[in-house]
Amino acid sequence: MARIIKKEVLAEGIKRIEVLAPDIAKKAMPGQFVVLRIDEKGERIPLTIAEKSSEKGTISLIFQEVGKTTKKLGALGEGEGILNLAGPLGKPSEIKRYGTVVVIGGGVGTAVVYPVADALKKAGNKIVSILGARSKNFLILEEELKEISDEFFLTTDDGSLGEKGFVSDVLKRLIGRKEKIDLVITAGPLVMMKVITQITKPEHLRTRVSLNPIMVDGTGMCGSCRVRIGNESKFVCVDGPEFDGDEVDFDILIARSKLFSAQEQLVLNRKL
Ligand SMILES: Cc1cc2nc3c(=O)[nH]c(=O)nc-3n(C[C@H](O)[C@H](O)[C@H](O)COP(=O)(O)OP(=O)(O)OC[C@H]3O[C@@H](n4cnc5c(N)ncnc54)[C@H](O)[C@@H]3O)c2cc1C
Ligand code: FES
């Protein structure tokens, strides 16, 4: 049982919990995630390790309440526990000095990209961040990302804060400046990552995307997180979650992520 020692609301339906998990905190690297199960009847869901403290023996998870399990998790209070927490899982992000890195976080994807951006900054990279959300009520980690960024841009779809529009509009503008960009990293909705790779591919800009397919075991055994990367099938839980964006078949991935929509709706309508 992993105990929740702190809980905060970051934005509408988005929460951060700090969980006591000393073994995971000791080993976790940026880009890795955990698979958790709240109770005996619960399903397994993956969440990125947004922060960790080896000293305190804790990890932080930031999640959006989108369905049954994330809503149940959001309903837990400080002092309550999560039955199973497995991790750290997935390959750590490759952290080295690239030069100028454009970091793009869409919605709760910002929680996925932030620890990687922080590590890249510490490795000596120039960080240009683009943070986007549907509206100001769904923005997270704005101050944290600003703090580690050499340049910072903010967009909301409805214009309620920052620039009205999409993160991809800012990216196009940055490319138009003709300043060297050595790497683009992004996490967010699949459609957003697909659009970003459609922009960067013709420019030959190396782009790393963090994928979020449906996962069950998180250890390469069940096959539910299978994706098409170039001419190969890969499992996101063990081969990823980060991949070269140019090679990802987003259409298959988007179709697969909707496979269980009817069942998800059904369980959500049942009592928590
Ligand atoms: C490696 C990885 C890291 C992730 N990190 C974060 C994070 O840091 N914060 C965050 O808010 N979300 C993250 N997600 C997505 C998160 O796992 C889903 O939002 C969650 O599983 C939804 O479960 P639910 O029961 O609340 O919703 P459901 O109603 O069951 O599903 C809502 C939607 O969530 C997705 N989903 C459902 N079950 C799973 C599953 N077992 N695995 C993956 N996706 C699923 C599907 O697209 C589905 O349509 C991550 C996903 C992956 C693969
Ligand atoms: S989650 Fe089962 S193989 Fe990846």
Side-chain angles (χ1 to χ4, degrees), residues 43-46 48 62-64 67 69-70 212-215 264:
E43 64 166 352
R44 294 171 170 79
I45 63 155
T48 300
I62 296 176
F63 58 95
Q64 185 159 25
T69 304
T70 45
N212 49 0
I214 294 195
M215 286 188 182
E264 284 154 0

Side-chain angles (χ1 to χ4, degrees), residues 11-47:
E12 203 174 306
I14 304 181
K15 291 178 177 157
R16 168 159 54 198
I17 52 172
E18 192 177 347
V19 181
L20 212 48
D23 291 342
I24 300 177
K26 222 183 287 165
K27 296 189 215 129
M29 309 276 278
Q32 292 189 296
F33 61 94
V34 291
V35 168
L36 64 83
R37 195 167 67 123
I38 296 176
D39 52 41
E40 269 169 22
K41 289 189 179 163
E43 64 166 352
R44 294 171 170 79
I45 63 155
L47 291 176

Side-chain angles (χ1 to χ4, degrees), residues 205-268:
L205 278 182
R206 191 175 164 205
T207 305
R208 268 178 13 204
V209 295
S210 184
L211 299 182
N212 49 0
I214 294 195
M215 286 188 182
V216 179
D217 66 327
T219 61
M221 305 285 280
C222 70
S224 63
C225 67
R226 196 175 73 246
V227 283
R228 197 84 191 143
I229 308 287
N231 292 322
E232 289 178 90
S233 277
K234 298 271 184 189
F235 292 153
V236 174
C237 64
V238 286
D239 300 317
E242 284 186 8
F243 293 95
D244 184 343
D246 285 4
E247 299 198 343
V248 177
D249 188 327
F250 279 103
D251 294 330
I252 295 183
L253 189 52
I254 289 167
R256 282 178 64 93
S257 71
K258 295 179 188 147
L259 267 181
F260 302 106
S261 298
Q263 290 87 341
E264 284 154 0
Q265 200 51 49
L266 201 74
V267 288
L268 185 58

